[in-house]
Amino acid sequence: MPTTAHPAFNKACSYFKIKLRRIPLNPQTREVNLDKMRQAITKNTCMIVASAPNFPHGVIDPIGDISKIAVEYDIPLHVDACLGGFLIPFMDQAGFPLEPFDFRLPGVMSMSCDTHKYGFAPKGTSVILYRNEQLREYQFYALADWPGGLYGSPSIAGSRSGYLIACCWATLMYYGREGYIEATRKIIQTARDIAKGWSEINGLYLLHQPDVSVVAISSDKFNIYYLFDGLHAKGWHLIGLQNPSGMHIAVTQIHTQPGVVDKLLEDTRQCVREIVTSDVKKDTATAVLYGTNQKVPDKSLVCDIVKLYISSWYKTNLDVPKDDEITN
């Protein structure tokens, strides 16, 4: 899989002890290096992954070319459309044509799609699609000789909330095809307006011309994390990127409202002016965080700190009474 594929695949490989081969990108196009992807295939390769689009830079991988590799080596191709799954199917009708990315390509065997993103449904209702019923059966589990009776489960997750499923279905019916086409039209146009505005600001450049809704930028004049924290102070909640350093915005319906893009671009221009004219180059919190992380050669140390941070979520502020206090 490309290095930009979602960490959920790293997580799954860690859980199931599957060797993961991360394929580097072309540094100019930010697209996966197809030659290196082909070279990484062995007789043990069980899956190829592509994104439509990926989260960091918003790039749709060259799925047509990857599909040809998958067919040639008879390896299933999974397309991660979790982020774009409720945009890319409607882009043609919204006036933004795309190359085929789905089951129209013979190598694509499965796709994932998050209804809670651009499907606007509650979290917890993501779906996975298979090319045929035979592939889907591998997802199911059944046990016939359990003393508690017959057991069957459709996925790794156990109990699921019928409330969430009902809310998801109601959301799909509320928007309908025309509703999603219109939302897609507004979101994609807004993303391209932001991309155009940001690219015209001296010192900023696009990491990739946005394929869908994500606009990612970096800077060749200053530490981009200064801008990240400057915009955060003005109320913009963006995402910091690394390798290379950058930041992105994932455009949503909120950003399509009148005046929002103009406000973002004006705030960006103001922050950039302050950064390039300031004599004080004091590192901001994000600059320190990402700068330190990229300088640490042993990433396991960083991962240990992240795990300690997560572990702290499980602690409570309740004081546990001593035995004598309970007695008294």
Side-chain angles (χ1 to χ4, degrees), residues 75-98:
I75 299 170
L77 168 59
H78 175 79
V79 174
D80 174 14
C82 285
L83 178 59
F86 271 82
L87 292 173
I88 53 178
F90 307 110
M91 284 181 63
D92 281 358
Q93 292 173 278
F96 303 97
L98 290 178

Side-chain angles (χ1 to χ4, degrees), residues 36 47 58 71 76 91 103 123 180 194 201 222-223 250 272 317:
K36 291 188 179 298
M47 179 180 287
V71 171
M91 284 181 63
F103 296 120
K123 282 196 172 185
Y180 286 118
I194 293 173
I201 298 175
F222 55 84
N223 189 329
V272 169
N317 293 323

Side-chain angles (χ1 to χ4, degrees), residues 188-201 204-217 249 251 261 264-265:
I188 303 304
Q189 186 59 59
T190 298
R192 298 189 178 189
D193 290 343
I194 293 173
K196 181 177 184 297
W198 270 351
S199 65
E200 292 173 349
I201 298 175
L204 298 181
Y205 66 90
L206 296 174
L207 286 171
H208 187 273
Q209 193 69 34
D211 288 334
V212 192
S213 60
V214 173
V215 187
I217 57 172
I249 182 171
V251 177
V261 172
L264 173 61
L265 296 179

Side-chain angles (χ1 to χ4, degrees), residues 64-291:
D65 293 328
I66 297 174
S67 172
K68 293 177 182 177
I69 296 175
V71 171
E72 178 182 348
Y73 289 92
D74 193 24
I75 299 170
L77 168 59
H78 175 79
V79 174
D80 174 14
C82 285
L83 178 59
F86 271 82
L87 292 173
I88 53 178
F90 307 110
M91 284 181 63
D92 281 358
Q93 292 173 278
F96 303 97
L98 290 178
E99 294 293 323
F101 55 83
D102 49 18
F103 296 120
R104 289 171 291 176
L105 300 171
V108 176
M109 294 292 123
S110 59
M111 299 184 68
S112 51
C113 175
D114 281 351
T115 48
H116 70 261
K117 290 190 173 75
Y118 291 102
F120 313 128
K123 282 196 172 185
T125 56
S126 300
V127 297
I128 183 166
L129 313 173
Y130 297 99
R131 190 174 194 90
N132 54 53
E133 293 183 6
Q134 289 70 35
L135 285 172
R136 187 178 62 185
E137 285 184 6
Y138 289 101
Q139 177 182 298
F140 302 157
Y141 179 78
L143 183 66
D145 61 354
W146 181 45
L150 295 175
Y151 176 86
S153 180
S155 66
I156 291 177
S159 301
R160 300 296 299 273
S161 171
Y163 164 78
L164 290 176
I165 296 172
C167 286
C168 177
W169 181 254
T171 303
L172 297 179
M173 295 300 99
Y174 173 79
Y175 279 93
R177 176 177 294 275
E178 292 304 317
Y180 286 118
I181 292 173
E182 182 58 26
T184 298
R185 182 180 295 110
K186 292 179 180 178
I187 288 169
I188 303 304
Q189 186 59 59
T190 298
R192 298 189 178 189
D193 290 343
I194 293 173
K196 181 177 184 297
W198 270 351
S199 65
E200 292 173 349
I201 298 175
N202 187 30
L204 298 181
Y205 66 90
L206 296 174
L207 286 171
H208 187 273
Q209 193 69 34
D211 288 334
V212 192
S213 60
V214 173
V215 187
I217 57 172
S218 188
S219 174
D220 52 8
K221 299 288 182 63
F222 55 84
N223 189 329
I224 191 66
Y225 300 127
Y226 295 166
L227 176 59
F228 177 91
D229 284 329
L231 288 173
H232 186 271
K234 293 180 179 295
W236 297 99
H237 297 280
L238 309 177
I239 299 294
L241 309 174
Q242 60 180 359
N243 306 320
S245 300
M247 68 178 197
H248 85 210
I249 182 171
V251 177
T252 66
Q253 288 197 97
I254 293 176
H255 303 121
T256 68
Q257 297 178 18
V260 174
V261 172
D262 291 338
K263 177 62 174 172
L264 173 61
L265 296 179
E266 178 53 38
D267 285 350
T268 303
R269 286 189 284 265
Q270 181 180 343
C271 287
V272 169
R273 284 195 298 268
E274 293 173 355
I275 292 168
V276 297
T277 59
S278 175
D279 294 328
V280 180
K281 300 299 182 185
K282 183 180 179 181
D283 277 342
T284 62
T286 306
V288 171
L289 174 65
Y290 280 100

Side-chain angles (χ1 to χ4, degrees), residues 274-310:
E274 293 173 355
I275 292 168
V276 297
T277 59
S278 175
D279 294 328
V280 180
K281 300 299 182 185
K282 183 180 179 181
D283 277 342
T284 62
T286 306
V288 171
L289 174 65
Y290 280 100
T292 301
N293 177 47
Q294 294 181 68
K295 291 177 182 177
V296 175
D298 185 357
K299 298 304 180 187
S300 66
L301 298 176
V302 180
C303 291
D304 287 343
I305 294 174
V306 172
K307 291 177 182 178
L308 285 172
Y309 176 64
I310 295 174

